[in-house]
Amino acid sequence: MKILLKIEEAAQFVLALYLFSLLPYSWLTFVLLLLTPDIGMIGYLFNPKVGSITYNLTHHKAIAIGLYLLGLVSGINIISLAGIIIFAHSSSDRVLGYGLKYPDAFKLTHLGFIGRSDVKS
């Protein structure tokens, strides 16, 4: 099942590339902005609960789609760009196994635990 989900996320990343190609920005812009959603990790400087909220806001695909559509309807391309960057970044994160965060700990995501577990069995 994990492989199937990774293929689905990779396909969504390809969709983001296509949607980006419809915008009037250079590919350099895409590359330079692709990691900007990780700014949401700054909330972890306060505590895991705040960190999970800020991280999830900058990695949530529904927010990304909403921004893209808002930009499309309003004709404001930079809003669509923000949505596509969040969508592409989130898709690539999930291909790598990084999901939305639970408030308990950074390594606990909706896709499971990131990295080695400290729990001995």
Side-chain angles (χ1 to χ4, degrees):
M1 183 59 97
K2 281 188 175 186
I3 297 294
L4 187 60
L5 291 173
K6 288 183 178 196
I7 291 169
E8 181 180 42
E9 294 296 341
Q12 290 177 29
F13 182 79
V14 171
L15 173 64
L17 293 175
Y18 170 72
L19 293 174
F20 178 82
S21 75
L22 301 176
L23 293 176
Y25 298 102
S26 74
W27 285 102
L28 180 60
T29 302
F30 182 85
V31 171
L32 292 174
L33 294 177
L34 189 58
L35 295 178
T36 56
D38 281 339
I39 194 83
M41 286 192 284
I42 202 162
Y44 282 96
L45 293 174
F46 298 98
N47 60 54
K49 184 176 180 179
V50 172
S52 67
I53 291 169
T54 58
Y55 182 92
N56 291 343
L57 284 173
T58 60
H59 287 76
H60 202 287
K61 288 187 180 179
I63 291 171
I65 292 167
L67 285 172
Y68 175 75
L69 293 174
L70 178 63
L72 198 63
V73 168
S74 68
I76 303 172
N77 289 329
I78 199 158
I79 297 174
S80 290
L81 173 64
I84 289 174
I85 293 298
I86 293 171
F87 192 84
H89 177 89
S90 298
S91 296
S92 64
D93 265 6
R94 291 175 191 162
V95 166
L96 298 172
Y98 299 103
L100 297 174
K101 308 298 183 194
Y102 285 104
D104 307 53
F106 179 79
K107 291 186 173 189
L108 186 59
T109 78
H110 83 286
L111 298 176
F113 193 81
I114 299 170
R116 294 186 332 190
S117 174
D118 295 335
V119 178
K120 295 183 180 184
S121 48

